[in-house]
Amino acid sequence: MNLDYPPEVDALRARIRDFLADELPWGWAGLGSLSSDEARKFTAWWRGRLVESGYIAPSWPTEYGGAGLTRLEQVVLAEEFARMRVPAYGANDNFSIKMIGNLLLRYGTDEQKRHFLPRIVRGEDTWCQGFSEPGAGSDLAGLRTRARLVDGEWIIDGQKIWTSEARSANWMFLLTRTDPEATRHKGITMLLVPMDQPGITIRPITMMTGGTDFNEVFFDGARTAEANVVIGPEQGWKAAMALLGLERGDQAATNPILFRAEVDRLIGLARERNLTSDELVRDQLVRAYTRVEIMRYLGLRTLTGWLKGETPGRDASISKLYWSEHHRETTDLAVSLLGADALAPTGRAPIRHYRTDDPGAPNSSASWTDTWMAAISGTIYAGTSQVQRNILAESVLGLPKEPRPQ
């Protein structure tokens, strides 16, 4: 693991700082300092500036609208954006760029890359993820949604649940069962499906935060072109595991930056409430600080593997397990520090339902309580903590595989 940045990244860091100095308004205090409506408007405007600079997809080739940066340079970019408390992506780009965009960049056909990647960068296509089902969440291979090929089109029937941003997306990357006679993992295909068509019904799910970003989606004869397959028919499990590995690997190097900023804010909350002299509070703050430093080293290890050309694997599962459990414990502490104020939250609430609050967010009780409720779900989505522990037990420790139901 390399803990030092090579000197050649200094020039890039200087360029990024110049870019931020030129683009950000005078007296900028961070996205979190804006009201929810102002933050959404700024994020939309800022995404346009990132598109023009290529920084919206920093590691993508310039021919697809990226900046052609290395993974290391992408981390430098994330560090500088975090320092100035600006978002690195737009509202939908976790799905559009970090997930399906990166997957198509690696495994898509030339036609898929030429068609989809520039449209993703420009924001013309926005995406949602169709993986989980009512009976197939952690056990994803148990999915029942089916697709059959008829006259050059896939016809889809079934249901997905917990589909973030389904109502605003115009495309979905969808796991379906295309060979019902094959074994659990071998009969699955990943399809790219347009959302604006007959045969798709979307119903919002109200979360305990009051938001409705999650949805359930029903397919009744929905269609997509035969060519809209990722990797190939019956290769959906490979595509899904590659996508999750890319998502977790990308986050391993950049997540620690956001979580470190959140721990700094947590320490500020303890100071504001005159709790830093409490020995138990100090002990828990030190534990949170230590965890986020360990997370940084885990990210650097993953980054070192990237620079060697390695594909995210076990490191990605370690990172997902580590950050999600850390975030749950950290926000638990924040709510404890708030005390009775957490029972009647006030102030600016987060504008997103995953990870940390926006950079520069105030220590309002609404900020921490909403983030705390979202942090609980972080140990479930993208692979539960139990699933990650099983992966590590079987693939790293060599323990017997968990018995599967018939």
Side-chain angles (χ1 to χ4, degrees):
M1 178 173 64
N2 186 2
L3 302 181
D4 299 317
Y5 289 171
E8 54 264 27
V9 303
D10 292 341
L12 172 67
R13 195 181 295 275
R15 290 203 308 273
I16 296 170
R17 290 185 176 184
D18 288 342
F19 168 78
L20 293 170
D22 291 340
E23 297 294 338
L24 293 175
W26 178 257
W28 173 253
L31 186 67
S33 66
L34 305 178
S35 69
S36 297
D37 288 341
E38 291 172 336
R40 291 187 180 92
K41 291 178 183 178
F42 176 88
T43 300
W45 171 81
W46 182 245
R47 190 187 191 280
R49 302 301 302 126
L50 296 181
V51 170
E52 292 183 18
S53 65
Y55 290 153
I56 191 64
S59 63
W60 289 14
T62 55
E63 63 185 291
Y64 299 130
L69 302 185
T70 66
R71 291 292 190 183
L72 178 60
E73 291 172 331
Q74 183 179 354
V75 173
V76 171
L77 179 72
E79 288 176 344
E80 291 303 314
F81 279 21
R83 182 180 64 86
M84 292 303 294
R85 302 175 176 179
V86 293
Y89 293 101
N92 181 262
D93 291 326
N94 184 61
F95 296 108
S96 296
I97 290 178
K98 295 176 71 174
M99 297 178 73
I100 189 61
N102 282 334
L103 185 69
L104 292 178
L105 184 64
R106 187 177 184 117
Y107 293 105
T109 64
D110 289 340
E111 182 180 355
Q112 287 173 340
K113 293 177 186 178
R114 287 193 300 268
H115 176 76
F116 285 112
L117 295 184
R119 292 176 61 85
I120 287 173
V121 165
R122 294 192 297 265
E124 296 169 8
D125 289 342
T126 56
W127 292 76
C128 60
Q129 177 184 17
F131 279 22
S132 296
E133 299 182 6
S138 299
D139 183 22
L140 186 57
L143 63 89
R144 296 175 180 270
T145 295
R146 297 191 177 188
R148 63 189 191 279
L149 191 58
V150 179
D151 297 331
E153 287 186 309
W154 295 99
I155 301 181
I156 307 157
D157 296 283
Q159 179 185 358
K160 296 294 177 178
I161 200 166
W162 310 123
T163 310
S164 300
E165 303 185 34
R167 285 174 295 152
S168 59
N170 58 357
W171 282 86
M172 173 187 283
F173 48 99
L174 172 73
L175 288 185
T176 65
R177 190 164 296 284
T178 52
D179 184 356
E181 303 302 321
T183 57
R184 285 161 43 90
H185 297 85
K186 294 185 178 179
I188 297 172
T189 299
M190 181 181 286
L191 300 176
L192 309 177
V193 182
M195 296 291 286
D196 185 14
Q197 62 166 304
I200 295 181
T201 302
I202 304 171
R203 297 177 184 170
I205 300 172
T206 301
M207 299 179 288
M208 61 183 175
T209 60
T212 55
D213 294 297
F214 286 139
N215 303 269
E216 53 183 344
V217 183
F218 299 87
F219 301 89
D220 183 13
R223 297 169 179 263
T224 193
E226 181 177 1
N228 286 339
V229 174
V230 181
I231 301 182
E234 281 73 65
Q235 297 296 310
W237 191 256
K238 176 181 178 180
M241 294 303 101
L243 183 143
L244 293 174
L246 289 168
E247 178 195 12
R248 296 168 187 160
D250 181 73
Q251 293 165 354
T254 55
N255 266 348
I257 299 167
L258 297 176
F259 286 122
R260 172 58 189 274
E262 183 179 64
V263 168
D264 290 342
R265 194 160 64 95
L266 177 66
I267 294 171
L269 177 65
R271 287 175 175 156
E272 290 171 13
R273 294 181 171 254
N274 298 315
L275 295 171
T276 53
S277 60
D278 185 302
E279 292 182 358
L280 292 178
V281 171
R282 290 174 66 87
D283 178 71
Q284 292 180 79
L285 290 174
V286 169
R287 288 176 184 272
Y289 178 87
T290 303
R291 287 196 306 267
V292 84
E293 283 296 290
I294 292 173
M295 194 188 308
R296 181 168 69 90
Y297 289 118
L298 290 174
L300 289 172
R301 182 172 66 180
T302 299
L303 179 61
T304 301
W306 276 344
L307 297 178
K308 294 178 180 178
E310 298 174 0
T311 301
R314 298 166 183 172
D315 285 0
S317 288
I318 294 171
S319 172
K320 167 58 172 65
L321 175 63
Y322 198 89
W323 75 251
S324 59
E325 292 292 333
H326 157 81
H327 200 213
R328 180 181 58 80
E329 293 181 34
T330 298
T331 53
D332 273 349
L333 175 57
V335 171
S336 296
L337 298 182
L338 288 171
D341 288 342
L343 299 176
T346 58
R348 179 192 184 276
I351 62 173
R352 55 182 176 173
H353 63 277
Y354 62 94
R355 303 293 196 280
T356 68
D357 199 349
D358 298 309
N363 271 323
S364 69
S365 54
S367 169
W368 282 113
T369 54
D370 277 28
T371 304
W372 168 68
M373 287 187 279
I376 297 170
S377 67
T379 63
I380 300 172
Y381 64 69
T384 68
S385 293
Q386 290 81 0
V387 167
Q388 302 307 321
R389 291 187 179 101
N390 279 352
I391 291 172
L392 296 173
E394 295 170 8
S395 64
V396 178
L397 301 179
L399 296 179
K401 289 186 177 295
E402 183 183 26
R404 299 290 186 184
Q406 294 297 323

